[in-house]
Amino acid sequence: MARKHLVSVLAGVLAFGALGVGGGAFAQVPANITKALADPSRPAADAARDAARHPGEVLALAGVKPGDTVIDYIMGGGYFTRILSAAVGPTGTVYAFQPAEFIQFKAQYGEDQKTVAAALSNVKPLNGPMTALDLPDGADVAITVQNYHDQHLKPFPVDTAAKANAEIFKSLKPGGVYLVIDHAATAGSGITAADSLHRIDIAAVKSEVEAAGFKLEAESPLLASKDDPHTASVFDPSIRGKTDQFILKFRKPK
């Protein structure tokens, strides 16, 4: 198992390319993504977060190309939605899903979705219930960032994640990519930290997503942090913005 894990990690590293000299960021970000990051319409607050979130390298691993159809699953404030919109260009489409349950909990989620969709013509907002997910078919890529664990919050049925993974699998084209980024929990803890710490064990995510039919293609240490003890909530000031995060790239078999 240790050798298999090492091979998978190395695959993720190779997918990004060599480490950049001095900056420590991975190289070989395609031109469409580089251009998207430099888009002057991006909010300054978003651009200020790029150094920590490495969106260029993340979307390079996902393989986002001009003309792609992408599902931004649980879009949050729209940080990645905006980048994806520019990266796929005018011939592409981004379906930005904001769960109705999230909007009911916090109205700002709905306002953020409206703002992004109004500003970007190739962004199509979706805001149905997460517990009855219905996504469009024919997508090239689906991405969810720091929200996979939310499907295991106590208010949701226990099969929420399983149903969502199945729907995303159905919605992707054969060969489509499903990229999952989330805050790491203690190894072996499963889903137990999802509700209390907003973290999830990487092994639990792999198991759940593969159960839907996906194949794990790569994982990357790009957002890893050895200084995170995994014991505090991701919202705790001591660790917020500095959590240990995993990146998993799954593919729907052709």
Side-chain angles (χ1 to χ4, degrees):
M1 288 300 292
R3 182 178 182 276
K4 182 179 179 181
H5 175 75
L6 177 60
V7 169
S8 186
V9 169
L10 288 174
V13 172
L14 290 172
F16 284 110
L19 283 170
V21 177
F26 288 85
Q28 299 185 2
V29 177
N32 66 309
I33 298 173
T34 300
K35 183 178 178 180
L37 293 172
D39 190 326
S41 70
R42 291 185 69 209
D46 279 13
R49 301 165 68 191
D50 291 350
R53 302 194 72 175
H54 298 287
E57 294 88 343
V58 166
L59 296 185
L61 180 61
V64 175
K65 305 179 300 299
D68 274 356
T69 295
V70 180
I71 296 170
D72 188 1
Y73 178 61
I74 312 183
M75 64 172 285
Y79 172 88
F80 270 101
T81 315
R82 292 185 177 92
I83 302 170
L84 287 166
S85 170
V88 302
T91 61
T93 301
V94 179
Y95 289 100
F97 176 71
Q98 196 81 293
E101 297 92 341
F102 280 33
I103 296 172
Q104 183 178 10
F105 172 72
K106 185 179 178 181
Q108 187 61 46
Y109 284 123
E111 295 305 311
D112 289 341
Q113 185 185 45
K114 291 176 183 176
T115 297
V116 173
L120 304 170
S121 61
N122 64 350
V123 171
K124 310 301 180 186
L126 303 173
N127 52 24
M130 187 160 63
T131 52
L133 189 62
D134 185 16
L135 298 172
D137 293 339
D140 299 284
V141 177
I143 179 172
T144 187
V145 182
Q146 299 178 346
N147 285 299
Y148 186 95
H149 70 271
D150 287 322
Q151 300 173 118
H152 288 289
L153 298 180
K154 288 180 179 178
F156 296 114
V158 295
D159 61 351
T160 299
K163 288 184 175 179
N165 290 332
E167 178 63 19
I168 292 169
F169 185 89
K170 179 184 77 67
S171 298
L172 286 168
K173 296 176 181 176
V177 169
Y178 181 25
L179 196 78
V180 180
I181 301 174
D182 214 336
H183 307 282
T186 302
S189 62
I191 64 169
T192 58
D195 194 74
S196 58
L197 303 181
H198 292 270
R199 299 173 177 271
I200 191 166
D201 181 7
I202 186 173
V205 177
K206 291 178 183 178
S207 177
E208 290 181 351
V209 176
E210 289 180 323
F214 287 99
K215 302 299 182 183
L216 179 63
E217 183 170 286
E219 55 186 292
S220 169
L222 181 66
L223 301 178
S225 174
K226 61 180 177 58
D227 298 324
D228 181 358
H230 301 156
T231 54
S233 165
V234 301
F235 300 112
D236 189 298
S238 67
I239 199 66
R240 188 166 189 175
K242 299 176 289 186
T243 58
D244 180 26
Q245 298 174 53
F246 55 80
I247 306 174
L248 299 174
K249 178 181 180 179
F250 299 93
R251 192 176 295 275
K252 178 177 177 175
K254 292 184 179 180

